């Protein structure tokens, strides 16, 4: 199960509406999980 805002941020990233850095910050803030970050970007999350 994904977090509440997963689909919103995934679509935004795919459309070029946000960057990897912005998704990283959202993950730090708890809006996405590290696993979701990796699923969206294809990049392992590193703190």
């Amino acid at each position: 199960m994904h977090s509440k805002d997963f689909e919103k941020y995934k679509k935004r990233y795919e459309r070029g509406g946000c960057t990897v850095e912005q998704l990283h910050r959202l993950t730090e803030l708890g809006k996405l999980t590290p696993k979701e970050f990796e699923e969206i970007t294809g990049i392992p999350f590193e703190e």
Side-chain angles (χ1 to χ4, degrees):
M1 180 147 192
H2 290 113
S3 60
K4 178 183 132 194
D5 293 322
F6 173 80
E7 286 299 325
K8 174 175 79 173
Y9 292 123
K10 182 177 185 287
K11 286 178 184 177
R12 189 175 293 172
Y13 178 74
E14 289 171 348
R15 294 179 180 150
C18 66
T19 64
V20 170
E21 291 80 13
Q22 290 169 320
L23 290 178
H24 193 279
R25 183 67 180 140
L26 289 167
T27 304
E28 291 175 334
L29 294 171
K31 297 287 187 182
L32 295 169
T33 67
K35 186 175 181 178
E36 290 170 337
F37 173 87
E38 185 171 352
E39 186 176 337
I40 293 170
T41 65
I43 302 167
F45 180 78
E46 295 182 22
E47 292 187 40

